[in-house]
Amino acid sequence: MRLRLALLVAVGLAALALLTSCSSSSIEQAAPAPTTDGTYPVTIDHKFGSTTIAAPPQRVVSLGYTEQDAILAFGVVPVGVRYAFGPQDDVFFPWADTAAGSATPTILPREEVDPEAVAALRPDLIMAVTAGLDQNQYEVLSRIAPVVVPPKEFRDFGVPWQDQTRITGRALGQSGRAEELVARVEAKFAEVKAANPGLIGKSLALSGPSYDGRYPIHASADTRTRFFGELGMVVPPELDAIAGDQFYGYLSREQAGMLNEDVVVFQSGSQQEKASIEADPILKVVPAIGQGRSLFIEGADYDALQFASALSLPYLLDSFVPKLTAVAKA
């Protein structure tokens, strides 16, 4: 269930209480005070036109799946957070705990966007870069407060973490802070990539448990796949073609051989999902899997990949890349 949701969520966004240094494995520290360095009003262009924010927001609703990371990065704790996955009474993941502190925001359901529930929170800004809103939903919510949705150049759930960090920083009047965050995390990627040259140029298939006899694959434009791309790995063109204009697609059981890349990463949101992959007789005959060139991303690593934010990515670089590098050498 968590992976099925993760296919609908795409999780890319901003940062917290950040890396004590680019090379440190300890990345949390106190979030910055929510001061602004910009002049309001601020106008942000997006796929439905533009949104103007008249003054520094005081009550921000995080409506996008995983949007809370981006907001917390700037020292702002949302008054409402939309549930995506994980514990239903806790929407802040380990890398966000310091920034969130003891806050207990209202948790909004993931299935439907209820304008009345949003209005009850009295927001003065609704961040929805990863919410997948349609234009009607956007217009309804815009009657409540300014709403920020993805730029027109990106598909839903496909905004890179750098762009979301900058968009959120502008909305919160902290563009300078946004550039600092992006630079720090990009430096971390560069450091890890340089230390692991064996990953550069390796072909990747990012998949998960079978649904209805089909295997999910993630395209280059998926926020999760971009994590591997920033380490120098590549998704083959034929897998991107399967996804088409979506960020993911499916292989039939007859096409399972297309998973035979240099490295196969299976997302596993639960022990049940992992067990189903391990027991699948079709997958067992894919050479990459039989030859030890596959691995699971699970637990907190799985969660961090779904968020794919400037907050979660440093955590993932420290935790998962050693496992990935070991398999890439097989």
mmCIF file of all heavy atoms in Angstrom, residues 78-102:
data_model
loop_
_atom_site.group_PDB
_atom_site.id
_atom_site.type_symbol
_atom_site.label_atom_id
_atom_site.label_comp_id
_atom_site.label_asym_id
_atom_site.label_seq_id
_atom_site.Cartn_x
_atom_site.Cartn_y
_atom_site.Cartn_z
ATOM 1 N N PRO A 78 4.105 23.984 9.746
ATOM 2 C CA PRO A 78 2.743 24.091 9.205
ATOM 3 C C PRO A 78 1.680 23.877 10.279
ATOM 4 O O PRO A 78 1.873 23.099 11.219
ATOM 5 C CB PRO A 78 2.686 22.972 8.168
ATOM 6 C CG PRO A 78 4.084 22.536 7.944
ATOM 7 C CD PRO A 78 4.852 22.865 9.171
ATOM 8 N N VAL A 79 0.555 24.557 10.112
ATOM 9 C CA VAL A 79 -0.566 24.347 11.036
ATOM 10 C C VAL A 79 -1.382 23.128 10.624
ATOM 11 O O VAL A 79 -2.157 22.594 11.421
ATOM 12 C CB VAL A 79 -1.471 25.594 11.113
ATOM 13 C CG1 VAL A 79 -0.691 26.776 11.674
ATOM 14 C CG2 VAL A 79 -2.069 25.943 9.752
ATOM 15 N N GLY A 80 -1.233 22.696 9.387
ATOM 16 C CA GLY A 80 -1.916 21.504 8.892
ATOM 17 C C GLY A 80 -1.022 20.783 7.908
ATOM 18 O O GLY A 80 -0.318 21.417 7.119
ATOM 19 N N VAL A 81 -1.004 19.447 7.959
ATOM 20 C CA VAL A 81 -0.175 18.629 7.081
ATOM 21 C C VAL A 81 -1.027 17.499 6.518
ATOM 22 O O VAL A 81 -1.731 16.811 7.259
ATOM 23 C CB VAL A 81 1.034 18.032 7.836
ATOM 24 C CG1 VAL A 81 1.821 17.082 6.927
ATOM 25 C CG2 VAL A 81 1.944 19.130 8.364
ATOM 26 N N ARG A 82 -0.957 17.307 5.227
ATOM 27 C CA ARG A 82 -1.695 16.221 4.596
ATOM 28 C C ARG A 82 -0.953 14.904 4.788
ATOM 29 O O ARG A 82 0.251 14.803 4.525
ATOM 30 C CB ARG A 82 -1.870 16.504 3.104
ATOM 31 C CG ARG A 82 -2.811 15.537 2.392
ATOM 32 C CD ARG A 82 -2.982 15.975 0.960
ATOM 33 N NE ARG A 82 -3.928 15.157 0.227
ATOM 34 C CZ ARG A 82 -4.222 15.333 -1.052
ATOM 35 N NH1 ARG A 82 -3.635 16.315 -1.721
ATOM 36 N NH2 ARG A 82 -5.094 14.557 -1.667
ATOM 37 N N TYR A 83 -1.662 13.906 5.243
ATOM 38 C CA TYR A 83 -1.073 12.587 5.471
ATOM 39 C C TYR A 83 -0.719 11.933 4.137
ATOM 40 O O TYR A 83 -1.484 12.003 3.176
ATOM 41 C CB TYR A 83 -2.051 11.703 6.250
ATOM 42 C CG TYR A 83 -1.569 10.291 6.436
ATOM 43 C CD1 TYR A 83 -0.614 9.987 7.397
ATOM 44 C CD2 TYR A 83 -2.062 9.266 5.632
ATOM 45 C CE1 TYR A 83 -0.165 8.686 7.567
ATOM 46 C CE2 TYR A 83 -1.615 7.963 5.798
ATOM 47 C CZ TYR A 83 -0.666 7.680 6.754
ATOM 48 O OH TYR A 83 -0.217 6.397 6.912
ATOM 49 N N ALA A 84 0.442 11.277 4.096
ATOM 50 C CA ALA A 84 0.847 10.549 2.900
ATOM 51 C C ALA A 84 1.013 9.067 3.182
ATOM 52 O O ALA A 84 0.354 8.222 2.592
ATOM 53 C CB ALA A 84 2.150 11.121 2.338
ATOM 54 N N PHE A 85 1.905 8.719 4.108
ATOM 55 C CA PHE A 85 2.128 7.322 4.474
ATOM 56 C C PHE A 85 2.846 7.303 5.814
ATOM 57 O O PHE A 85 3.249 8.337 6.338
ATOM 58 C CB PHE A 85 2.940 6.580 3.403
ATOM 59 C CG PHE A 85 4.320 7.132 3.170
ATOM 60 C CD1 PHE A 85 5.407 6.642 3.879
ATOM 61 C CD2 PHE A 85 4.539 8.144 2.245
ATOM 62 C CE1 PHE A 85 6.681 7.144 3.676
ATOM 63 C CE2 PHE A 85 5.809 8.658 2.031
ATOM 64 C CZ PHE A 85 6.884 8.160 2.746
ATOM 65 N N GLY A 86 3.005 6.090 6.360
ATOM 66 C CA GLY A 86 3.667 5.969 7.646
ATOM 67 C C GLY A 86 2.677 6.035 8.800
ATOM 68 O O GLY A 86 1.467 5.888 8.606
ATOM 69 N N PRO A 87 3.168 6.277 10.022
ATOM 70 C CA PRO A 87 2.279 6.356 11.187
ATOM 71 C C PRO A 87 1.205 7.416 10.979
ATOM 72 O O PRO A 87 1.507 8.549 10.585
ATOM 73 C CB PRO A 87 3.227 6.741 12.332
ATOM 74 C CG PRO A 87 4.573 6.289 11.871
ATOM 75 C CD PRO A 87 4.582 6.474 10.381
ATOM 76 N N GLN A 88 -0.033 7.075 11.239
ATOM 77 C CA GLN A 88 -1.122 7.998 10.936
ATOM 78 C C GLN A 88 -1.234 9.146 11.933
ATOM 79 O O GLN A 88 -1.969 10.099 11.687
ATOM 80 C CB GLN A 88 -2.442 7.225 10.851
ATOM 81 C CG GLN A 88 -2.437 6.225 9.713
ATOM 82 C CD GLN A 88 -3.836 5.816 9.286
ATOM 83 O OE1 GLN A 88 -4.829 6.418 9.679
ATOM 84 N NE2 GLN A 88 -3.917 4.786 8.462
ATOM 85 N N ASP A 89 -0.503 9.046 13.039
ATOM 86 C CA ASP A 89 -0.558 10.127 14.019
ATOM 87 C C ASP A 89 0.729 10.950 14.054
ATOM 88 O O ASP A 89 0.928 11.762 14.951
ATOM 89 C CB ASP A 89 -0.831 9.569 15.420
ATOM 90 C CG ASP A 89 0.247 8.591 15.878
ATOM 91 O OD1 ASP A 89 1.085 8.177 15.039
ATOM 92 O OD2 ASP A 89 0.251 8.239 17.073
ATOM 93 N N ASP A 90 1.620 10.730 13.064
ATOM 94 C CA ASP A 90 2.901 11.447 13.054
ATOM 95 C C ASP A 90 3.321 11.682 11.615
ATOM 96 O O ASP A 90 3.691 10.753 10.898
ATOM 97 C CB ASP A 90 3.967 10.640 13.799
ATOM 98 C CG ASP A 90 5.292 11.383 13.916
ATOM 99 O OD1 ASP A 90 5.363 12.545 13.467
ATOM 100 O OD2 ASP A 90 6.249 10.800 14.460
ATOM 101 N N VAL A 91 3.276 12.930 11.188
ATOM 102 C CA VAL A 91 3.603 13.253 9.799
ATOM 103 C C VAL A 91 5.010 13.818 9.650
ATOM 104 O O VAL A 91 5.389 14.259 8.564
ATOM 105 C CB VAL A 91 2.584 14.250 9.217
ATOM 106 C CG1 VAL A 91 1.239 13.587 9.006
ATOM 107 C CG2 VAL A 91 2.449 15.485 10.103
ATOM 108 N N PHE A 92 5.781 13.815 10.738
ATOM 109 C CA PHE A 92 7.158 14.284 10.675
ATOM 110 C C PHE A 92 8.101 13.086 10.801
ATOM 111 O O PHE A 92 8.047 12.342 11.775
ATOM 112 C CB PHE A 92 7.444 15.309 11.778
ATOM 113 C CG PHE A 92 6.597 16.544 11.669
ATOM 114 C CD1 PHE A 92 5.905 17.034 12.771
ATOM 115 C CD2 PHE A 92 6.484 17.228 10.470
ATOM 116 C CE1 PHE A 92 5.133 18.174 12.677
ATOM 117 C CE2 PHE A 92 5.697 18.371 10.363
ATOM 118 C CZ PHE A 92 5.016 18.844 11.464
ATOM 119 N N PHE A 93 8.968 12.913 9.801
ATOM 120 C CA PHE A 93 9.861 11.774 9.762
ATOM 121 C C PHE A 93 11.175 12.115 10.472
ATOM 122 O O PHE A 93 11.414 13.262 10.833
ATOM 123 C CB PHE A 93 10.070 11.352 8.305
ATOM 124 C CG PHE A 93 8.875 10.599 7.748
ATOM 125 C CD1 PHE A 93 7.668 11.243 7.514
ATOM 126 C CD2 PHE A 93 8.965 9.237 7.488
ATOM 127 C CE1 PHE A 93 6.570 10.548 7.025
ATOM 128 C CE2 PHE A 93 7.872 8.534 6.995
ATOM 129 C CZ PHE A 93 6.675 9.185 6.770
ATOM 130 N N PRO A 94 12.031 11.106 10.729
ATOM 131 C CA PRO A 94 13.188 11.332 11.599
ATOM 132 C C PRO A 94 14.035 12.544 11.248
ATOM 133 O O PRO A 94 14.499 13.258 12.136
ATOM 134 C CB PRO A 94 13.984 10.034 11.455
ATOM 135 C CG PRO A 94 12.961 8.995 11.162
ATOM 136 C CD PRO A 94 11.940 9.689 10.307
ATOM 137 N N TRP A 95 14.270 12.760 9.948
ATOM 138 C CA TRP A 95 15.127 13.881 9.550
ATOM 139 C C TRP A 95 14.455 15.242 9.785
ATOM 140 O O TRP A 95 15.107 16.267 9.696
ATOM 141 C CB TRP A 95 15.505 13.735 8.078
ATOM 142 C CG TRP A 95 14.318 13.454 7.208
ATOM 143 C CD1 TRP A 95 13.446 14.364 6.672
ATOM 144 C CD2 TRP A 95 13.838 12.172 6.813
ATOM 145 N NE1 TRP A 95 12.464 13.731 5.966
ATOM 146 C CE2 TRP A 95 12.678 12.384 6.028
ATOM 147 C CE3 TRP A 95 14.281 10.873 7.032
ATOM 148 C CZ2 TRP A 95 11.963 11.323 5.472
ATOM 149 C CZ3 TRP A 95 13.573 9.831 6.475
ATOM 150 C CH2 TRP A 95 12.422 10.057 5.707
ATOM 151 N N ALA A 96 13.158 15.230 10.082
ATOM 152 C CA ALA A 96 12.429 16.484 10.299
ATOM 153 C C ALA A 96 12.105 16.731 11.759
ATOM 154 O O ALA A 96 11.561 17.776 12.100
ATOM 155 C CB ALA A 96 11.136 16.468 9.484
ATOM 156 N N ASP A 97 12.429 15.793 12.628
ATOM 157 C CA ASP A 97 11.980 15.897 14.015
ATOM 158 C C ASP A 97 12.529 17.126 14.732
ATOM 159 O O ASP A 97 11.824 17.773 15.505
ATOM 160 C CB ASP A 97 12.362 14.634 14.794
ATOM 161 C CG ASP A 97 11.456 13.448 14.469
ATOM 162 O OD1 ASP A 97 10.362 13.682 13.918
ATOM 163 O OD2 ASP A 97 11.847 12.308 14.763
ATOM 164 N N THR A 98 13.787 17.462 14.489
ATOM 165 C CA THR A 98 14.355 18.628 15.162
ATOM 166 C C THR A 98 13.646 19.898 14.733
ATOM 167 O O THR A 98 13.303 20.745 15.559
ATOM 168 C CB THR A 98 15.862 18.729 14.871
ATOM 169 O OG1 THR A 98 16.526 17.588 15.424
ATOM 170 C CG2 THR A 98 16.450 19.988 15.490
ATOM 171 N N ALA A 99 13.417 20.050 13.440
ATOM 172 C CA ALA A 99 12.762 21.254 12.941
ATOM 173 C C ALA A 99 11.316 21.337 13.406
ATOM 174 O O ALA A 99 10.806 22.424 13.676
ATOM 175 C CB ALA A 99 12.815 21.286 11.420
ATOM 176 N N ALA A 100 10.649 20.201 13.494
ATOM 177 C CA ALA A 100 9.243 20.196 13.891
ATOM 178 C C ALA A 100 9.074 20.423 15.387
ATOM 179 O O ALA A 100 8.042 20.935 15.836
ATOM 180 C CB ALA A 100 8.594 18.874 13.489
ATOM 181 N N GLY A 101 10.076 20.036 16.168
ATOM 182 C CA GLY A 101 9.976 20.185 17.612
ATOM 183 C C GLY A 101 8.800 19.397 18.167
ATOM 184 O O GLY A 101 8.550 18.258 17.779
ATOM 185 N N SER A 102 8.065 20.022 19.059
ATOM 186 C CA SER A 102 6.920 19.352 19.686
ATOM 187 C C SER A 102 5.600 19.701 19.008
ATOM 188 O O SER A 102 4.525 19.446 19.562
ATOM 189 C CB SER A 102 6.846 19.731 21.169
ATOM 190 O OG SER A 102 6.706 21.147 21.304
#
